[in-house]
DNA sequence: GTTATTGCAAAATATTTGCATTATA
DNA sequence: TATAATGCAAATATTTTGCAATAAC
């Protein structure tokens, strides 16, 4: 008996999601690889484990996970969604050179304190992200900055 | 002599942009309508003034304006870019009901104070936005929330 | 008059939809 | 076995590209 899979099954069931094989594998990939992958990356990785999986199932699953607040969607570069398993509140950093998305821990969290909301809008989600050049790309000697 | 157009010409020239008729009209639309429009909205409005304008020119112009830091691109819903004339730093609110994007003035600006950057990344852009239901949609009596 | 810009058509990329097959409970 | 999920193919949406016609200086 696989404990990790059973744990995932319980998480999905607790959210009212039928724990199909595909959904379990996608969930575990997101949980164990915190790289904010896009659909293409998820599809490529899933194909290794489930050769017959389709992009439609990836999209179906991610949209379902978003509805059920299991994952959140990041829209950072205007042309694709990136996916993140919801845990504690944090922001993101997008490197314009290597395109990697990394987590930024929040010291002064947007929306968490001292943020006046003079607009009377109902705020349901708070998103903060930065763009720039990550430290790895900064230290790469061959790069023009 | 049109003073507003001459002013726009000077702004474009100061950024090293050849002030063509199309670019001037697009710039003035963005400047006078702070509604964070997408390409479709800009195209529809431009067509009224320049019936022969093409989507390609809209894209060319917006990409050029972004390169020259005249406008910034917002990626809020994962399926399109919205455009904003760069002025003072501010955040955005995206209403999931009416899809309007409004400005949020910054009290505790993300990236402006007390934000520790333990990552040593070079931060070039700071983006903060909220999602929820705007006050107009909240007060609309016929709506399920 | 030379170079840069525009605009059409086609391509590329990302996501959704219709529907028949298959899996789940 | 009834219902829900999967996966293929086609459709839709957004943005980019190649290139000939046109405009800017």
């Amino acid at each position: 008996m696989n404990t990790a899979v059973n744990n995932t099954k319980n998480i999905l069931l607790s959210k009212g999601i039928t724990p199909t094989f595909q959904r379990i594998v996608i969930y575990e990939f997101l949980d164990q690889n915190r790289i904010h992958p896009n659909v293409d990356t998820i599809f490529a990785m899933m194909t290794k484990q489930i050769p017959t999986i389709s992009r439609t199932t990836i999209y179906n699953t991610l949209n379902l996970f978003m509805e059920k607040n299991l994952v959140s969607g990041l829209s950072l570069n205007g042309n694709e969604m990136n996916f993140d398993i919801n845990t504690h509140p944090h922001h993101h950093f997008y490197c314009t050179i290597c395109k990697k998305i990394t987590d930024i821990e929040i010291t002064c969290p947007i929306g968490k304190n001292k943020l006046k909301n003079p607009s009377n809008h109902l705020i349901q989600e708070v998103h903060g992200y930065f763009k720039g050049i990550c430290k790895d790309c900064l230290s790469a000697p061959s790069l023009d900055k």
Side-chain angles (χ1 to χ4, degrees), chain A:
Chain A
M1 182 204 283
N2 186 326
T3 309
V5 167
N6 267 329
N7 188 42
T8 298
K9 274 190 185 176
N10 289 333
I11 290 168
L12 297 183
L13 284 170
S14 75
K15 292 278 184 174
I17 299 172
T18 306
T20 67
F21 182 46
Q22 287 86 342
R23 288 170 178 173
I24 291 166
V25 173
I26 293 170
Y27 182 91
E28 303 217 313
F29 172 74
L30 291 173
D31 192 40
Q32 289 157 28
N33 300 275
R34 306 293 178 115
I35 56 174
H36 318 85
N38 61 14
V39 167
D40 247 37
T41 301
I42 297 170
F43 179 68
M45 298 309 288
M46 292 308 94
T47 299
K48 294 184 181 177
Q49 294 179 66
I50 313 174
T52 58
I53 203 168
S54 70
R55 275 192 169 74
T56 304
T57 297
I58 310 285
Y59 279 107
N60 285 343
T61 301
L62 292 169
N63 287 339
L64 181 66
F65 284 2
M66 282 198 289
E67 273 168 37
K68 303 291 187 178
N69 283 311
L70 265 181
V71 309
S72 57
L74 312 178
S75 173
L76 270 61
N77 57 7
N79 43 288
E80 67 186 2
M81 269 285 204
N82 296 86
F83 298 91
D84 194 13
I85 287 218
N86 266 336
T87 49
H88 56 94
H90 60 282
H91 294 335
H92 293 103
F93 180 85
Y94 175 72
C95 176
T96 53
I97 306 285
C98 68
K99 318 296 185 196
K100 279 188 194 137
I101 299 165
T102 46
D103 289 339
I104 296 278
E105 293 310 312
I106 296 174
T107 301
C108 171
I110 177 177
K112 271 284 166 186
N113 60 6
K114 294 204 211 80
L115 186 91
K116 202 169 68 177
N117 178 13
S119 56
N120 291 324
H121 302 323
L122 172 64
I123 292 179
Q124 295 171 318
E125 287 179 37
V126 177
H127 295 257
Y129 68 94
F130 308 88
K131 288 190 186 185
I133 303 177
C134 74
K135 64 177 194 302
D136 292 345
C137 287
L138 280 174
S139 63
S142 63
L143 206 68
D144 284 333
K145 277 125 206 170

